[in-house]
Amino acid sequence: SALKSGKMLDTPVGQLIVASCVVDDILALILLSMFQVLVLPDPSIIQYFIPIISSVGFLIVLGGSAVTWLPKFIENKILNRCKPDQRE
């Protein structure tokens, strides 16, 4: 990728660019699902809020696990299989 070849991926600016791309993709998927509701002949009011509610739910569940238990799992289960000199 361009960030990796320019040695910008491990900098704060590179991480900010990657995070903003992820947020942009998530917002695009939410808008796409809301546009699908707009073309329905007679949508109910709850169908407009299902994409937003499910996105917030996924953010809480997956984001919370990525911050709390997933790093411990990787450290204890996966990195233990690698030699210490091969870790970064």
Side-chain angles (χ1 to χ4, degrees):
S1 80
L3 290 174
K4 194 170 188 178
S5 65
K7 296 183 177 142
M8 290 292 295
L9 187 61
D10 293 328
T11 64
V13 172
Q15 294 297 311
L16 182 64
I17 291 171
V18 171
S20 65
C21 290
V22 169
V23 170
D24 178 55
D25 290 344
I26 291 170
L27 290 176
L29 289 172
I30 292 170
L31 283 175
L32 178 64
S33 61
M34 290 189 76
F35 288 146
Q36 286 178 332
V37 173
L38 289 175
V39 298
L40 293 176
D42 191 25
S44 65
I45 192 73
I46 192 69
Q47 286 178 317
Y48 289 105
F49 291 105
I50 287 175
I52 297 170
I53 294 168
S54 63
S55 299
V56 170
F58 278 123
L59 177 67
I60 290 170
V61 171
L62 297 177
S65 65
V67 172
T68 56
W69 68 268
L70 195 57
K72 295 174 189 174
F73 175 77
I74 292 172
E75 182 73 31
N76 295 333
K77 301 290 182 183
I78 297 174
L79 289 180
N80 281 340
R81 297 179 182 175
C82 300
K83 296 177 184 177
D85 59 334
Q86 292 177 340
R87 299 181 196 177
E88 285 190 37

